[in-house]
Amino acid sequence: MFTSERPYIFHVELTDKCNAGCPMCPRTDAMNFCKPDRTKVFNVELGLEDFRTHFTDEFCARTEEIVFGGAYGDPLAASQLLEIVEHLTERGVRLAVSTNGGLRPPKWWTRLGEAMKRTGSRLELHLDGLADTNHLYRVNTRWERIMENARAYIATGARAEWHFIIFKHNQHQIEEANRLSKEMGFAEFTLIDTIRFSGGPTYDYVMPTGERCALELPDVKAAQFRASDDGGVALLEKPAAATDGPRLGVNGIDCKSAAFNRPYISAHGQVSACCWVTGSDEEAAFFADHGLGPERYNIRNRPLEDILLDEPFASLYARAWAQDSLKNCRHKCGRMLRNKRNTLWSA
């Protein structure tokens, strides 16, 4: 599944801590005032020493990129994110940091930008609307603070991208958000269709104030938009043709992690195939069936590369795909059920 013969691309969740209460996030108890679900969130994080131990000069030379984002936390909530970024970029590693942008003061963001631009690293700033709508999904965030932080970061010359999930309450703001992104100096504007409306066209939640709200599916899809000739946004009459066709991997499952040599490391230090399977009951059962306890694949117990080249990654996953015995793999990489993205422009 993973190999030392190709450069690694890591997906790392630095922490399960977050300042926001996004209703659809798995860390959020949406009907309990968007508070953290304490059965899933344990306030853990990876630290600088974890990266000094495993991402040595030699290993960094064989690491193409590390993406800091995850299932439960925002990387900016990790206490040593900045020191980790500096450690990695000083060793030539390109990074991507995915965040809601609501934490840390502008001076901190300036230092982050200076470190990130060393290796052409990118910030993925998730802004789902404008001043009057962003907080409807990014609950507990403050627009003014996010804008201050974004401007401080962009002023360093580091790359920043605006990522925008489309809901019914913000679909009318796509043109204005696109224009603002260019004015501020963002390098890219990307629209996203979320797959988290699987239960129906609405998603109920309760705001911290006690107000009952509901997210609604938009009337448009990300693929319906394109950049217009005048630099704005144009809406197509029909969505663009989907680019994700049937996958041709083992038994129809073309594992993205295997294809890109892209392991996942959780905030607990556990190494998994990807963010979709990590911590799941299915993963636990799969490992237990082969006598693999959690201590075997934790970076605080064994060298990272020893874990990557050992089971279950060496052969057990491929065997399970051939037997079509892993539901999550079939669901995500067989049927391609992931968020759909449409980058309207990129500098």
Side-chain angles (χ1 to χ4, degrees):
M1 185 176 188
F2 304 124
T3 174
S4 60
E5 297 175 357
R6 291 186 292 156
Y8 288 109
I9 298 174
F10 287 95
H11 182 189
V12 178
E13 181 167 53
L14 282 177
T15 181
D16 66 355
K17 295 182 284 187
C18 187
N19 59 308
C22 304
M24 289 178 161
C25 180
R27 81 184 310 276
T28 303
D29 188 347
M31 299 305 293
N32 185 27
F33 308 101
C34 288
K35 294 179 180 179
D37 183 341
R38 293 302 177 187
T39 66
K40 299 177 181 179
V41 178
F42 303 95
N43 291 332
V44 295
E45 63 179 66
L46 299 175
L48 177 60
E49 194 57 35
D50 294 309
F51 285 85
R52 284 177 173 164
T53 298
H54 296 282
F55 288 87
T56 61
D57 291 3
E58 187 275 333
F59 195 74
C60 283
R62 296 189 289 118
T63 299
E64 181 177 323
E65 182 177 65
I66 299 176
V67 178
F68 288 132
Y72 296 99
D74 189 297
L76 269 73
S79 60
Q80 294 184 304
L81 169 64
L82 190 53
E83 291 80 3
I84 292 168
V85 167
E86 290 175 338
H87 171 81
L88 294 168
T89 56
E90 285 169 359
R91 286 155 182 80
V93 180
R94 186 176 72 240
L95 307 177
V97 176
S98 180
T99 179
N100 64 60
L103 287 172
R104 311 291 188 176
K107 285 184 178 180
W108 186 96
W109 283 80
T110 297
R111 186 173 159 188
L112 177 67
E114 294 294 345
M116 293 278 280
K117 70 180 182 181
R118 290 186 190 124
T119 55
S121 297
R122 69 185 187 278
L123 178 80
E124 297 177 357
L125 191 55
H126 291 264
L127 297 172
D128 308 317
L130 296 170
D132 60 333
T133 56
N134 184 60
H135 67 284
L136 296 178
Y137 184 66
R138 303 289 165 179
V139 174
N140 294 329
T141 64
R142 290 174 45 212
W143 177 261
E144 295 79 9
R145 185 171 189 176
I146 295 169
M147 290 292 100
E148 289 178 359
N149 291 341
R151 290 189 173 95
Y153 178 88
I154 292 171
T156 67
R159 182 181 179 90
E161 302 171 359
W162 184 318
H163 291 209
F164 185 116
I165 300 176
I166 309 174
F167 297 102
K168 193 163 187 176
H169 67 258
N170 66 14
Q171 64 184 28
H172 65 289
Q173 295 179 322
I174 292 173
E175 174 74 34
E176 186 178 351
N178 175 66
R179 184 168 58 251
L180 178 60
S181 72
K182 291 180 178 179
E183 290 174 357
M184 291 182 64
F186 280 87
E188 185 173 296
F189 186 78
T190 294
L191 296 174
I192 302 171
D193 295 328
T194 178
I195 61 170
R196 292 180 175 172
F197 278 102
S198 57
T202 61
Y203 193 100
D204 296 330
Y205 65 105
V206 178
M207 280 283 200
T209 59
E211 179 186 2
R212 294 182 67 91
C213 300
L215 300 169
E216 297 181 69
L217 272 169
D219 302 319
V220 289
K221 297 287 187 181
Q224 288 180 256
F225 292 89
R226 65 172 179 84
S228 61
D229 294 337
D230 61 1
V233 175
L235 183 63
L236 303 174
E237 291 185 6
K238 295 181 180 180
T243 57
D244 283 326
R247 305 304 290 243
L248 304 176
V250 180
N251 202 15
I253 297 170
D254 189 358
C255 174
K256 180 178 178 181
S257 296
F260 292 98
N261 211 26
R262 189 177 191 261
Y264 179 82
I265 305 174
S266 78
H268 296 269
Q270 304 295 108
V271 180
S272 293
C274 70
C275 65
W276 297 110
V277 305
T278 187
S280 66
D281 292 341
E282 183 176 54
E283 181 192 55
F286 176 55
F287 283 24
D289 287 345
H290 295 91
L292 304 175
E295 72 285 346
R296 183 183 178 93
Y297 54 99
N298 191 297
I299 62 172
R300 286 165 178 162
N301 299 323
R302 299 175 66 199
L304 174 57
E305 195 159 41
D306 286 359
I307 297 172
L308 297 176
L309 303 181
D310 197 357
E311 298 295 1
F313 310 113
S315 66
L316 293 179
Y317 265 101
R319 194 181 309 166
W321 299 331
Q323 297 168 351
D324 199 13
S325 61
L326 293 176
K327 180 178 66 176
N328 279 335
C329 294
R330 166 63 62 188
H331 191 66
K332 293 298 178 183
C333 287
R335 297 173 59 195
M336 294 304 294
L337 292 180
R338 302 190 190 122
N339 293 346
K340 298 295 187 293
R341 297 171 183 267
N342 178 17
T343 297
L344 295 188
W345 56 271
S346 180

